[in-house]
Amino acid sequence: MYNNNKASSVRWLIAGLMWTAIAINYIDRVVLSAAAPIISKEFALNTAEMGLIMSAFFWSYALLQLPAGWLADRFGQKLTLGGAVLWWSVATAMTGLANGFNSLFALRVGLGVGEAAAYPSNAGIASRWFPDKERATVAGIFDSGSKFGGAVAMPLIVWLIALVGWKMTFVLSGSIGIVWALVWFAFYKNDPEQHSGVNEAELRHIREGQRRKEGTGDKPTLRWYHLLRYRNVWAMCLGFFFINYNSYFFITWLPTYLVKERGMDLISMGFVAALPLLLAMLVEVFAGWLSDRIYRQGRWSLTRIRKTFLVVGLLMASCIGFAAFAESSWLAIVLLCIAKSGTTVAATQVWAMPGDIAPRGMTSMLAGLQNTVSNMGGVVGPIITGFIVAATNSFVPALLFSAGLIVVAILNYLFLLGEVEPIKEQSENPLIEPALNR
């Protein structure tokens, strides 16, 4: 480390790499969706077979969150995140060599295996590289990459397919992640003490601002399933499940809703469907910064800040129910933009809390557990919405049901979530003892 009175800013360069990893993550997810009509025709795949291929990613992605979190805590995020991006990028590039159902299915599973490590690793990086008062900001930054990737991916990929064909599009998309992985391995260190670019002022800023300091190789203080004994863990998992149920509407059913329920043409729909994601990206970064600013002022406790931003964000997200009754299409769009932005306000706190609450050496593991449960909401949400729309021939009941789950999420964070503080491992019955971590 070099000496300098002014703190260096290496941690923010790392935050930029975290953001880029998530953006690439989401871009690589949607390449198959954009190419699906061409691929299904070329390989004579029916709708059911294409559905199985597309779902293969989500199951491997959701089920491997917890193992990925364990690996990140045990061996460090440099190896885990870098290896994960390299893995899923190679799987993406190799999809251009697929020759039928079996190879497409296997490569899609491989994509989910690699991408499973992204969010748990980023949560662990935030706990090691950032002081507590910057944790929501960096959470907002890296998670906003998903909105950027989701918004720009479809038009970008469609343009590439028209320009160079679907096979070369997969190769080019995968190549971006391979380059990112090489940069990551060259630049990132698991701990700020190990990085030559971090001066003493930045290191002091990071370490003196952390209630609990983590380092490479810290052994987990609990087995992963012991986390389920704590009510705060249940609150984190259940709340994020309901949030993701709501969020996945915007990347699955929103285009259909705009065309069938609001009568938009495809060109208008493509533009409008990107609006909630792009707006949410900006709101998320601002919300993370604002919550950390309030925390630095020292007037509110961390618990009050986390709960306030969660509840305010979810109240915004409940606007999805009001959109169902909007007579004007543009009013409905405004309400949907507010709703999506609300989920990202909540997400800044959701992704900060693993670092706030996890026992030593278990931040990525707790983030993986939380994301496992939340992605089940992403899996069942589009299915339930589809059944409701099919049964009622309207999106109104589906949007109201989604808003109802948001109300449940608010109650969950208000009453099940207790004090936001590191888990006290010595408790024998932490689920019912109100004096301990809740």
Side-chain angles (χ1 to χ4, degrees), residues 32-33 35-59 99-109:
L32 182 65
S33 299
I38 301 172
I39 292 174
S40 60
K41 182 178 181 180
E42 182 168 331
F43 296 139
L45 300 172
N46 59 39
T47 305
E49 289 172 324
M50 283 303 300
L52 287 171
I53 291 169
M54 290 183 178
S55 69
F57 161 81
F58 291 102
W59 288 106
N99 57 10
F101 175 85
N102 291 337
S103 54
L104 283 169
F105 187 90
L107 288 166
R108 200 65 178 173
V109 170

Side-chain angles (χ1 to χ4, degrees), residues 62-210:
L63 293 175
L64 288 174
Q65 291 287 316
L66 188 57
W70 180 85
L71 287 171
D73 283 328
R74 184 68 183 86
F75 299 104
Q77 286 78 15
K78 178 173 185 173
L79 178 62
T80 306
L81 182 57
V85 176
L86 189 60
W87 176 289
W88 91 56
S89 298
V90 170
T92 299
M94 288 182 63
T95 305
L97 303 176
N99 57 10
F101 175 85
N102 291 337
S103 54
L104 283 169
F105 187 90
L107 288 166
R108 200 65 178 173
V109 170
L111 179 70
V113 170
E115 293 202 359
Y119 273 95
S121 294
N122 273 357
I125 294 165
S127 71
R128 290 184 177 185
W129 270 88
F130 292 84
D132 298 349
K133 62 186 178 183
E134 294 174 353
R135 194 165 285 154
T137 300
V138 71
I141 290 172
F142 76 70
D143 188 50
S144 71
S146 66
K147 285 73 184 177
F148 177 83
V152 306
M154 191 61 72
L156 174 64
I157 295 304
V158 169
W159 175 76
L160 278 175
I161 290 173
L163 186 66
V164 298
W166 72 268
K167 294 183 178 181
M168 185 55 66
T169 297
F170 275 102
V171 174
L172 292 174
S173 183
S175 298
I176 297 172
I178 294 172
V179 172
W180 182 96
L182 295 176
V183 173
W184 178 257
F185 284 125
F187 182 77
Y188 180 75
K189 304 295 182 184
N190 278 320
D191 298 307
E193 290 87 349
Q194 301 172 345
H195 203 292
S196 61
V198 176
N199 65 9
E200 292 181 3
E202 183 176 18
L203 181 61
R204 187 166 56 250
H205 173 80
I206 294 169
R207 292 309 191 196
E208 290 181 357
Q210 295 175 332

